[in-house]
Amino acid sequence: MPLMVIPTSQLLWFRLAALVFTCVAFSVVSSGGYLPHEGLADWCIFCWAFSFTCTAIVLLVEIFGLQSRVFVSWSNFPITVASYAALLCLSASIVFPLNYLKGNNNRSEVRDHRIVSTVFSCLATVAYMGEVSLSKARPGEVTGYMATSPGLLKVCQTFVACVIFIYVSSPVSYDHHPGTRWCMAVYCICFILSMLIVVLCVGELTGYLPIPFSKFLSIYGILAVLMYLSATIVWPVFQFDKRTPHGSYRSNLITVSVLTALNLLLYIADLVYSARLVFVKA
C-alpha cells in the first residue's frame, strides 16, 4: 500500500495553481457563461477540462508515490502533459475572448462569468509555462527526451499541425490541386511521425525501433525539414491568385501559410538541437 507523500517543491505549487486555475476556468463558464453549442466553445471547454484532468493525474501519482507502477516514463510524461496543457490553455486564452467577449452584448452576469474564465485561463497558461520551465532539462542533466529542447519542439510541432488541420478543413482548401494535396500529405506525415516519437518516449518504447533512436531522429529531422520547405513554397504558389476570393477564406489560406512557415522553423530548430544533443536515458 503506497504511502501518501506530499512533495514540497516549486513544481508542486505550479501544478496546484494550474489545477485550480483550469478548474475555475471551465467551472465558471459552464455554470454561468451560457456558451453556444459550437466548435470553438467546445474547444475552449476541452482545453481547460483536459488540462485539469491530466494535471490531477500527475499530482495523484506523485502524492501517492506511484511513479514506478504506472506504464509510462515518469521522466517524460509530466513535462509532456504540462507542455500540451500550456499550448491548449494559451489557445483558449486567445480564442475565447476574441469570440465570446469582443463585441458581446449579453447581460452583465454572463459577461462577468466569461471574463473570469478568460483571466483564469491566462493564469493557467502562466502556471503551465512555469512548470515546463522548471522541468526542462539543464545542460549536462540526465533526463528524459521530452524534457530536452527537441522533445519540447516535438510538442509544438504537433500542436501547430493540429491548428493547420483546423484551418484547411473548414472549409476544405487542399483538394483542388495536386500541389496542395502534397502539402496536406506533408502535414499529415510529419504530424504522425512527430506524435509517434512523443508516444514512444512517453511509453518507453524507443527500444522497439528497428534502428537506433538517435539515428531515427536524425533521418526524420532532415526529411521533415525538406518536406516542410517544399510545403512552405508550394502552398502559397497554388493557393493565391486573382481568382482567390477575399474574406475569411483568404484569411484561412494566409494563416495556413504562416503556420507552415512557423512549423518549418520549428523543424529546423529541432534538427539543429538534435545534432548537438547527446541524449542519455535516465
Side-chain angles (χ1 to χ4, degrees), residues 87-234:
L87 292 172
L88 288 170
C89 289
L90 176 62
S91 68
S93 300
I94 297 171
V95 169
F96 188 78
L98 286 178
N99 289 275
Y100 303 111
L101 280 181
K102 187 178 179 181
N104 189 274
N105 295 319
N106 288 299
R107 62 182 186 272
S108 59
E109 295 85 357
V110 174
R111 185 176 180 84
D112 290 345
H113 279 77
R114 296 182 180 185
I115 291 173
V116 170
S117 291
T118 302
V119 171
F120 277 91
S121 180
C122 294
L123 291 173
T125 303
V126 173
Y128 281 119
M129 287 181 175
E131 180 183 347
V132 171
S133 178
L134 287 175
S135 304
K136 183 182 177 183
R138 303 296 184 266
E141 184 179 356
V142 178
T143 187
Y145 176 79
M146 295 307 299
T148 64
S149 294
L152 296 175
L153 285 170
K154 292 289 187 304
V155 172
C156 296
Q157 291 159 9
T158 55
F159 185 82
V160 172
C162 287
V163 179
I164 290 175
F165 293 147
I166 294 172
Y167 277 98
V168 300
S169 60
S170 181
V172 175
S173 57
Y174 60 84
D175 61 348
H176 66 280
H177 191 279
T180 54
R181 287 194 288 270
W182 161 252
C183 294
M184 188 62 182
V186 169
Y187 303 145
C188 292
I189 292 170
C190 292
F191 169 79
I192 291 171
L193 290 177
S194 291
M195 185 57 71
L196 176 64
I197 292 172
V198 173
V199 172
L200 289 175
C201 291
V202 172
E204 293 189 316
L205 301 171
T206 56
Y208 290 94
L209 290 171
I211 60 175
F213 184 56
S214 57
K215 189 173 183 179
F216 174 76
L217 290 175
S218 299
I219 295 172
Y220 168 58
I222 295 171
L223 290 176
V225 168
L226 294 176
M227 292 173 71
Y228 255 93
L229 178 61
S230 68
T232 304
I233 298 170
V234 169

